[in-house]
mmCIF file of all heavy atoms in Angstrom:
data_model
loop_
_atom_site.group_PDB
_atom_site.id
_atom_site.type_symbol
_atom_site.label_atom_id
_atom_site.label_comp_id
_atom_site.label_asym_id
_atom_site.label_seq_id
_atom_site.Cartn_x
_atom_site.Cartn_y
_atom_site.Cartn_z
ATOM 1 N N ARG A 1411 -4.250 27.896 -31.815
ATOM 2 C CA ARG A 1411 -4.659 28.998 -30.945
ATOM 3 C C ARG A 1411 -3.546 29.286 -29.942
ATOM 4 O O ARG A 1411 -2.653 28.472 -29.720
ATOM 5 C CB ARG A 1411 -5.943 28.636 -30.194
ATOM 6 C CG ARG A 1411 -5.804 27.390 -29.318
ATOM 7 C CD ARG A 1411 -7.109 26.976 -28.691
ATOM 8 N NE ARG A 1411 -6.972 25.749 -27.903
ATOM 9 C CZ ARG A 1411 -7.961 25.143 -27.278
ATOM 10 N NH1 ARG A 1411 -9.190 25.647 -27.350
ATOM 11 N NH2 ARG A 1411 -7.763 24.048 -26.574
ATOM 12 N N LEU A 1417 -8.358 31.986 -20.648
ATOM 13 C CA LEU A 1417 -8.659 30.633 -21.108
ATOM 14 C C LEU A 1417 -7.875 29.600 -20.295
ATOM 15 O O LEU A 1417 -8.397 28.535 -19.949
ATOM 16 C CB LEU A 1417 -8.329 30.506 -22.597
ATOM 17 C CG LEU A 1417 -8.619 29.144 -23.248
ATOM 18 C CD1 LEU A 1417 -10.051 28.692 -22.966
ATOM 19 C CD2 LEU A 1417 -8.352 29.201 -24.754
ATOM 20 N N ASP A 1420 -9.737 29.079 -17.168
ATOM 21 C CA ASP A 1420 -10.962 28.307 -17.367
ATOM 22 C C ASP A 1420 -10.664 26.820 -17.564
ATOM 23 O O ASP A 1420 -11.424 25.961 -17.100
ATOM 24 C CB ASP A 1420 -11.724 28.838 -18.582
ATOM 25 C CG ASP A 1420 -12.404 30.174 -18.313
ATOM 26 O OD1 ASP A 1420 -12.549 30.524 -17.119
ATOM 27 O OD2 ASP A 1420 -12.771 30.860 -19.279
ATOM 28 N N GLY A 1425 -13.844 24.094 -17.504
ATOM 29 C CA GLY A 1425 -14.572 24.192 -18.756
ATOM 30 C C GLY A 1425 -14.504 25.565 -19.391
ATOM 31 O O GLY A 1425 -14.245 26.566 -18.705
ATOM 32 N N TYR A 1426 -14.723 25.605 -20.691
ATOM 33 C CA TYR A 1426 -14.714 26.871 -21.425
ATOM 34 C C TYR A 1426 -15.534 26.690 -22.704
ATOM 35 O O TYR A 1426 -15.815 25.572 -23.149
ATOM 36 C CB TYR A 1426 -13.284 27.298 -21.753
ATOM 37 C CG TYR A 1426 -12.554 26.359 -22.702
ATOM 38 C CD1 TYR A 1426 -12.557 26.580 -24.081
ATOM 39 C CD2 TYR A 1426 -11.864 25.243 -22.224
ATOM 40 C CE1 TYR A 1426 -11.897 25.722 -24.945
ATOM 41 C CE2 TYR A 1426 -11.197 24.385 -23.081
ATOM 42 C CZ TYR A 1426 -11.221 24.625 -24.444
ATOM 43 O OH TYR A 1426 -10.577 23.769 -25.305
ATOM 44 N N TRP A 1427 -15.923 27.834 -23.284
ATOM 45 C CA TRP A 1427 -16.710 27.800 -24.518
ATOM 46 C C TRP A 1427 -15.808 27.680 -25.732
ATOM 47 O O TRP A 1427 -14.993 28.545 -25.984
ATOM 48 C CB TRP A 1427 -17.564 29.058 -24.633
ATOM 49 C CG TRP A 1427 -18.709 29.099 -23.671
ATOM 50 C CD1 TRP A 1427 -18.848 29.898 -22.577
ATOM 51 C CD2 TRP A 1427 -19.885 28.282 -23.740
ATOM 52 N NE1 TRP A 1427 -20.029 29.637 -21.939
ATOM 53 C CE2 TRP A 1427 -20.700 28.645 -22.629
ATOM 54 C CE3 TRP A 1427 -20.333 27.279 -24.604
ATOM 55 C CZ2 TRP A 1427 -21.926 28.046 -22.374
ATOM 56 C CZ3 TRP A 1427 -21.568 26.686 -24.344
ATOM 57 C CH2 TRP A 1427 -22.341 27.063 -23.251
ATOM 58 N N MET A 1428 -15.967 26.602 -26.468
ATOM 59 C CA MET A 1428 -15.345 26.499 -27.791
ATOM 60 C C MET A 1428 -16.156 27.331 -28.791
ATOM 61 O O MET A 1428 -15.609 27.913 -29.721
ATOM 62 C CB MET A 1428 -15.313 25.044 -28.259
ATOM 63 C CG MET A 1428 -14.266 24.188 -27.573
ATOM 64 S SD MET A 1428 -12.610 24.421 -28.275
ATOM 65 C CE MET A 1428 -12.754 23.505 -29.809
ATOM 66 N N ARG A 1429 -17.453 27.353 -28.584
ATOM 67 C CA ARG A 1429 -18.358 28.169 -29.406
ATOM 68 C C ARG A 1429 -19.442 28.678 -28.461
ATOM 69 O O ARG A 1429 -20.270 27.903 -27.977
ATOM 70 C CB ARG A 1429 -18.957 27.334 -30.538
ATOM 71 C CG ARG A 1429 -19.996 28.065 -31.368
ATOM 72 C CD ARG A 1429 -20.384 27.235 -32.582
ATOM 73 N NE ARG A 1429 -21.547 27.779 -33.251
ATOM 74 C CZ ARG A 1429 -21.986 27.381 -34.448
ATOM 75 N NH1 ARG A 1429 -21.337 26.426 -35.094
ATOM 76 N NH2 ARG A 1429 -23.049 27.908 -34.989
ATOM 77 N N ARG A 1430 -19.397 29.953 -28.180
ATOM 78 C CA ARG A 1430 -20.319 30.537 -27.214
ATOM 79 C C ARG A 1430 -21.733 30.612 -27.816
ATOM 80 O O ARG A 1430 -21.905 31.046 -28.946
ATOM 81 C CB ARG A 1430 -19.844 31.930 -26.830
ATOM 82 C CG ARG A 1430 -20.565 32.524 -25.613
ATOM 83 C CD ARG A 1430 -19.932 33.845 -25.215
ATOM 84 N NE ARG A 1430 -18.573 33.666 -24.763
ATOM 85 C CZ ARG A 1430 -18.235 33.339 -23.518
ATOM 86 N NH1 ARG A 1430 -19.190 33.152 -22.614
ATOM 87 N NH2 ARG A 1430 -16.972 33.198 -23.184
ATOM 88 N N PRO A 1431 -22.760 30.180 -27.071
ATOM 89 C CA PRO A 1431 -24.124 30.222 -27.621
ATOM 90 C C PRO A 1431 -24.660 31.652 -27.668
ATOM 91 O O PRO A 1431 -24.310 32.492 -26.841
ATOM 92 C CB PRO A 1431 -24.916 29.376 -26.614
ATOM 93 C CG PRO A 1431 -24.156 29.525 -25.332
ATOM 94 C CD PRO A 1431 -22.708 29.623 -25.715
ATOM 95 N N VAL A 1438 -27.153 23.392 -26.822
ATOM 96 C CA VAL A 1438 -25.735 23.477 -26.464
ATOM 97 C C VAL A 1438 -25.216 22.049 -26.332
ATOM 98 O O VAL A 1438 -25.850 21.201 -25.689
ATOM 99 C CB VAL A 1438 -25.520 24.244 -25.143
ATOM 100 C CG1 VAL A 1438 -24.131 23.971 -24.561
ATOM 101 C CG2 VAL A 1438 -25.704 25.732 -25.365
ATOM 102 N N VAL A 1439 -24.079 21.774 -26.948
ATOM 103 C CA VAL A 1439 -23.422 20.474 -26.818
ATOM 104 C C VAL A 1439 -22.236 20.639 -25.879
ATOM 105 O O VAL A 1439 -21.385 21.516 -26.086
ATOM 106 C CB VAL A 1439 -22.950 19.939 -28.185
ATOM 107 C CG1 VAL A 1439 -22.169 18.628 -27.999
ATOM 108 C CG2 VAL A 1439 -24.142 19.729 -29.112
ATOM 109 N N GLY A 1464 -24.332 26.298 -29.222
ATOM 110 C CA GLY A 1464 -23.116 26.446 -28.428
ATOM 111 C C GLY A 1464 -22.355 25.140 -28.293
ATOM 112 O O GLY A 1464 -22.919 24.047 -28.387
ATOM 113 N N LEU A 1465 -21.031 25.242 -28.065
ATOM 114 C CA LEU A 1465 -20.171 24.077 -27.861
ATOM 115 C C LEU A 1465 -19.329 24.333 -26.616
ATOM 116 O O LEU A 1465 -18.503 25.251 -26.587
ATOM 117 C CB LEU A 1465 -19.274 23.841 -29.082
ATOM 118 C CG LEU A 1465 -18.320 22.647 -28.990
ATOM 119 C CD1 LEU A 1465 -19.084 21.334 -28.806
ATOM 120 C CD2 LEU A 1465 -17.433 22.576 -30.235
ATOM 121 N N LEU A 1466 -19.548 23.514 -25.595
ATOM 122 C CA LEU A 1466 -18.885 23.688 -24.307
ATOM 123 C C LEU A 1466 -17.872 22.572 -24.093
ATOM 124 O O LEU A 1466 -18.225 21.386 -24.106
ATOM 125 C CB LEU A 1466 -19.927 23.671 -23.175
ATOM 126 C CG LEU A 1466 -19.416 23.864 -21.751
ATOM 127 C CD1 LEU A 1466 -18.709 25.207 -21.593
ATOM 128 C CD2 LEU A 1466 -20.575 23.739 -20.750
ATOM 129 N N ALA A 1467 -16.608 22.955 -23.932
ATOM 130 C CA ALA A 1467 -15.535 21.989 -23.656
ATOM 131 C C ALA A 1467 -15.434 21.792 -22.143
ATOM 132 O O ALA A 1467 -15.185 22.753 -21.408
ATOM 133 C CB ALA A 1467 -14.220 22.493 -24.220
ATOM 134 N N THR A 1498 -21.409 30.324 -13.829
ATOM 135 C CA THR A 1498 -21.036 31.457 -14.683
ATOM 136 C C THR A 1498 -21.054 31.055 -16.147
ATOM 137 O O THR A 1498 -21.555 31.802 -17.006
ATOM 138 C CB THR A 1498 -19.638 31.966 -14.285
ATOM 139 O OG1 THR A 1498 -19.660 32.365 -12.904
ATOM 140 C CG2 THR A 1498 -19.220 33.141 -15.138
ATOM 141 N N LEU A 1499 -20.517 29.854 -16.448
ATOM 142 C CA LEU A 1499 -20.493 29.380 -17.830
ATOM 143 C C LEU A 1499 -21.894 29.282 -18.430
ATOM 144 O O LEU A 1499 -22.126 29.660 -19.586
ATOM 145 C CB LEU A 1499 -19.822 28.007 -17.905
ATOM 146 C CG LEU A 1499 -18.295 27.939 -17.885
ATOM 147 C CD1 LEU A 1499 -17.830 26.501 -17.710
ATOM 148 C CD2 LEU A 1499 -17.705 28.529 -19.168
ATOM 149 N N LEU A 1500 -22.837 28.769 -17.668
ATOM 150 C CA LEU A 1500 -24.176 28.495 -18.195
ATOM 151 C C LEU A 1500 -25.187 29.597 -17.914
ATOM 152 O O LEU A 1500 -26.356 29.492 -18.310
ATOM 153 C CB LEU A 1500 -24.695 27.172 -17.599
ATOM 154 C CG LEU A 1500 -23.888 25.909 -17.935
ATOM 155 C CD1 LEU A 1500 -24.457 24.699 -17.200
ATOM 156 C CD2 LEU A 1500 -23.863 25.650 -19.443
ATOM 157 N N ALA A 1501 -24.743 30.670 -17.273
ATOM 158 C CA ALA A 1501 -25.688 31.702 -16.836
ATOM 159 C C ALA A 1501 -26.431 32.354 -17.996
ATOM 160 O O ALA A 1501 -27.594 32.739 -17.855
ATOM 161 C CB ALA A 1501 -24.952 32.765 -16.021
ATOM 162 N N VAL A 1503 -27.037 30.981 -21.007
ATOM 163 C CA VAL A 1503 -27.704 30.045 -21.905
ATOM 164 C C VAL A 1503 -29.210 30.214 -21.720
ATOM 165 O O VAL A 1503 -29.708 30.140 -20.586
ATOM 166 C CB VAL A 1503 -27.285 28.596 -21.602
ATOM 167 C CG1 VAL A 1503 -28.072 27.615 -22.465
ATOM 168 C CG2 VAL A 1503 -25.784 28.416 -21.813
ATOM 169 N N LEU A 1509 -29.573 21.030 -23.390
ATOM 170 C CA LEU A 1509 -28.172 20.620 -23.292
ATOM 171 C C LEU A 1509 -28.035 19.173 -23.742
ATOM 172 O O LEU A 1509 -28.800 18.300 -23.312
ATOM 173 C CB LEU A 1509 -27.678 20.730 -21.843
ATOM 174 C CG LEU A 1509 -27.727 22.078 -21.125
ATOM 175 C CD1 LEU A 1509 -27.076 21.948 -19.748
ATOM 176 C CD2 LEU A 1509 -27.025 23.143 -21.943
#
Side-chain angles (χ1 to χ4, degrees):
R1411 59 185 177 182
L1417 181 52
D1420 286 343
Y1426 65 93
W1427 288 109
M1428 285 280 285
R1429 175 172 169 169
R1430 192 174 295 275
V1438 163
V1439 176
L1465 180 60
L1466 181 60
T1498 301
L1499 280 170
L1500 298 176
V1503 175
L1509 301 185

